Amino acid sequence: MRIVSADTGGALLDENYNPIGLIATAAVLVEKPYRTAKMSIVKYSDPFNYDINGSRALRDEAFLALKLAKKVKPDVIHLDSTLGGIEVRKLDDPTIDALRISDRGKAVWHELSKDLQPLAKRFWEETGIEILAIGKESVAVRIAELYAGIYSVKWGIEYAMKEGFVRIGLPRYMTVGILESKILGKSLDPREGGLYGEVPIEQEDFEWQVYPNPIARTFMVFEARF
Amino acid sequence: MRIVSADTGGALLDENYNPIGLIATAAVLVEKPYRTAKMSIVKYSDPFNYDINGSRALRDEAFLALKLAKKVKPDVIHLDSTLGGIEVRKLDDPTIDALRISDRGKAVWHELSKDLQPLAKRFWEETGIEILAIGKESVAVRIAELYAGIYSVKWGIEYAMKEGFVRIGLPRYMTVGILESKILGKSLDPREGGLYGEVPIEQEDFEWQVYPNPIARTFMVFEARF
Amino acid sequence: MRIVSADTGGALLDENYNPIGLIATAAVLVEKPYRTAKMSIVKYSDPFNYDINGSRALRDEAFLALKLAKKVKPDVIHLDSTLGGIEVRKLDDPTIDALRISDRGKAVWHELSKDLQPLAKRFWEETGIEILAIGKESVAVRIAELYAGIYSVKWGIEYAMKEGFVRIGLPRYMTVGILESKILGKSLDPREGGLYGEVPIEQEDFEWQVYPNPIARTFMVFEARF
């Protein structure tokens, strides 16, 4: 099974470890044995101008996943919204109302589905590829989350080159390391079966550190200093 | 404390990683230090003819646990139903109605208790051994789950010898390996403190692979090919 | 960020692994990189005379945290009550009623806040240090929990010296070891990023063992025998 997925993550943190805004949306192509990405692309946000509470992340993810899918023609697209794996092309208003999710979740999907539902329908009609709202059940979504963290670190290193210092909150239970011109990221949850990712970088000569976020248990912080 | 427990697990999967049916019910004898089974027995199901939604698994588990218990005379029997450790011999209809569980859980137990409650009562009167509905709190239930996974792999290897190939979904966060005529299974959750199991096999010369189930995060897939 | 936190844990167990009472409240000073304590103090309880269901633990923790905070002047105090990080000095009756917690939780806080709220208010007015009800989100609270487990083992070794034997239930997913006149404790959850602690002891010549609690999955048991 060839899966394209996307997720958003990595947050610029202030000195009290509170998030300022999200940094990266990553889309990945995942193939058997489903432990890392065969290919990945990224779209950066401006963390200084980001509404964390909106539905922006999911919209960004859908569009970035479609961009990659048009290129690599996967069997299926997985979005990070845990609706039991329902096809997005079927998410009309009565279907959304019938979902067993929170009222807030319904409001977000009523808004999102206005353009995502026709988009998903057209894409399926043209290519036969389904877009599924599968969320946390998907290993591909988790690999996209790891890549969002890795790309956030890449962004952070470039930011720190200019500004001298950066502090980034990584996605849930993942860690990163810098080794031989690569950012290596891996899941800290062994129950996931060894998920990881890597992205090349050019900078090498800087100090960096990874440690637990003191006010967000199971989340790690990455710092770089030039 | 000598505990007998039983659990059902391991699913034959189709090419889209959807379960066709469950494969094995394992009963185990667990003794201090409670990391593996001292003894295990198995009852195989026909995964091509299995109602995943019924109460069949729990009934199979109770009968298989009793079979092993009659032989090894444990201090207690643990069943995989999370009712806070209540004694099954006390599960009459008013008691079931008073449980803080879902209506579906109550319906299953009203049906099950018709024969399990008198059986548990008689077994307790004859032997003094209680049958407890303790579920996920029990380490012995988890060890039985690991053995259900290991026996499913054993079944799968025999199936693949005849059919050429098999794909099995293992129970939650466990992995298996084949080494020196043994199937070794172990928990992928280090919080459980190192639980594992092993069962001998005869076949050796085949290809096998374990990898994450792409649509069921924290579940692994085992494949064998002859 | 310099954080003081406190937590209570470690239970004396009977021969059926049921808790008799809690053993130790530990307060810790945690500094960057937030993986262990820079300093720790302990207050022991009498486990044979302990009401596990009351609000006693949280009260003990608040007072012990304050004791350490007066000495080390941290930036903030974290208590093990998961109220989203609200300031304890603001917990008057209307605020408690407005919290999204269980009725039982509200009753406990209505009772507790009678002396904790004015205490927190006065401490904040004098020092500027906030006491936050942050609970499981705090890494410092988890490190305090590990130290409560380590100190419980220290208490248990002294108890076993006199009584010959002790069996202690450790806090959730942590393990301990005795090495070179130290008790080393560490989290078994790798998602927490490598949290640990250590406390010196004098005794060395005794048998000890750590293994899974058979009726409390993800909790370990420590036994010592002289």
Side-chain angles (χ1 to χ4, degrees), chain B residues 1 3 32-35 78 134 136-140 142 145 172-173 190-193 195, chain C residues 15-17 167 173 188-191 209-220 223:
Chain B
M1 198 186 287
I3 310 164
K32 196 178 168 186
Y34 313 107
R35 282 203 175 88
H78 286 180
I134 181 173
K136 65 183 174 57
E137 293 302 310
S138 167
V139 168
R142 174 61 171 157
E145 190 176 46
R172 73 193 68 241
Y173 37 90
R191 300 178 305 172
E192 295 183 333
L195 308 184
Chain C
E15 69 278 16
N16 293 315
Y17 298 99
R167 174 177 294 145
Y173 36 90
L188 286 173
D189 190 348
R191 299 178 305 172
Q209 188 179 12
V210 176
Y211 60 87
N213 184 330
I215 61 167
R217 202 164 137 191
T218 71
F219 287 81
M220 302 296 126
E223 287 182 0

Side-chain angles (χ1 to χ4, degrees), chain C:
Chain C
M1 199 186 290
R2 298 173 69 245
I3 310 165
V4 160
S5 182
D7 201 13
T8 304
L12 189 64
L13 299 180
D14 69 17
E15 69 278 16
N16 293 315
Y17 298 99
N18 294 123
I20 294 166
L22 296 182
I23 296 170
T25 299
V28 294
L29 168 65
V30 174
E31 295 180 0
K32 196 177 168 185
Y34 313 107
R35 283 203 174 88
T36 190
K38 184 109 175 181
M39 191 179 303
S40 69
I41 59 176
V42 63
K43 178 175 178 294
Y44 289 113
S45 309
D46 175 6
F48 295 102
N49 188 7
Y50 196 101
D51 175 14
I52 280 185
N53 295 309
S55 58
R56 176 175 158 186
L58 195 49
R59 187 182 305 271
D60 285 351
E61 293 157 17
F63 282 95
L64 197 68
L66 270 176
K67 184 179 170 184
L68 182 57
K70 282 171 187 165
K71 191 171 160 188
V72 302
K73 302 277 182 248
D75 298 308
V76 67
I77 297 175
H78 285 180
L79 292 192
D80 183 21
S81 178
T82 307
L83 304 183
I86 196 168
E87 297 89 347
V88 173
R89 70 181 165 91
K90 294 181 182 168
L91 282 175
D92 53 19
D93 284 342
T95 304
I96 293 167
D97 282 326
L99 292 172
R100 291 188 186 189
I101 58 173
S102 68
D103 286 346
R104 162 140 176 76
K106 286 182 188 181
V108 166
W109 266 107
H110 277 302
E111 179 61 30
L112 270 175
S113 67
K114 280 179 201 159
D115 36 294
L116 288 193
Q117 187 269 337
L119 193 70
K121 187 154 177 284
R122 213 175 324 123
F123 190 69
W124 172 76
E125 285 166 353
E126 289 168 7
T127 65
I129 303 172
E130 290 279 14
I131 305 179
L132 305 181
I134 181 174
K136 65 182 174 59
E137 293 304 310
S138 167
V139 167
V141 167
R142 174 60 172 159
I143 292 171
E145 189 176 48
L146 298 179
Y147 273 83
I150 294 167
Y151 279 114
S152 293
V153 166
K154 185 178 166 85
W155 178 93
I157 292 167
E158 282 161 26
Y159 179 86
M161 270 184 74
K162 288 177 288 186
E163 305 292 332
F165 178 75
V166 76
R167 174 177 294 145
I168 286 172
L170 298 175
R172 73 195 68 241
Y173 36 90
M174 72 169 286
T175 190
V176 294
I178 316 284
L179 194 68
E180 295 171 1
S181 300
K182 277 182 205 162
I183 304 167
L184 297 162
K186 59 177 186 177
S187 167
L188 286 173
D189 190 348
R191 299 178 305 172
E192 295 183 333
L195 309 183
Y196 68 96
E198 58 181 58
V199 163
I201 50 168
E202 281 153 29
Q203 308 86 344
E204 276 202 51
D205 197 25
F206 60 96
E207 287 170 55
W208 60 274
Q209 188 179 12
V210 176
Y211 60 87
N213 184 330
I215 61 167
R217 202 164 137 191
T218 71
F219 287 81
M220 302 296 126
V221 174
F222 170 84
E223 287 182 0
R225 191 183 298 276
F226 277 84

Side-chain angles (χ1 to χ4, degrees), chain B residues 174-189:
Chain B
M174 72 170 286
T175 189
V176 293
I178 315 284
L179 195 67
E180 295 171 2
S181 301
K182 277 182 206 162
I183 305 168
L184 296 160
K186 60 178 185 177
S187 168
L188 286 173
D189 190 347

Side-chain angles (χ1 to χ4, degrees), chain A residues 15-17 165 167 173-175 188-191 209-220 223 225, chain C residues 1 3 32-35 78 134-140 142 145 172-173 189-195:
Chain A
E15 69 279 14
N16 294 314
Y17 299 100
F165 177 75
R167 173 178 292 145
Y173 36 90
M174 74 169 284
T175 190
L188 286 173
D189 189 348
R191 299 178 305 172
Q209 188 181 13
V210 176
Y211 59 87
N213 184 331
I215 61 167
R217 203 164 138 191
T218 71
F219 287 81
M220 302 297 125
E223 286 182 1
R225 192 182 299 275
Chain C
M1 199 186 290
I3 310 165
K32 196 177 168 185
Y34 313 107
R35 283 203 174 88
H78 285 180
I134 181 174
K136 65 182 174 59
E137 293 304 310
S138 167
V139 167
R142 174 60 172 159
E145 189 176 48
R172 73 195 68 241
Y173 36 90
D189 190 348
R191 299 178 305 172
E192 295 183 333
L195 309 183

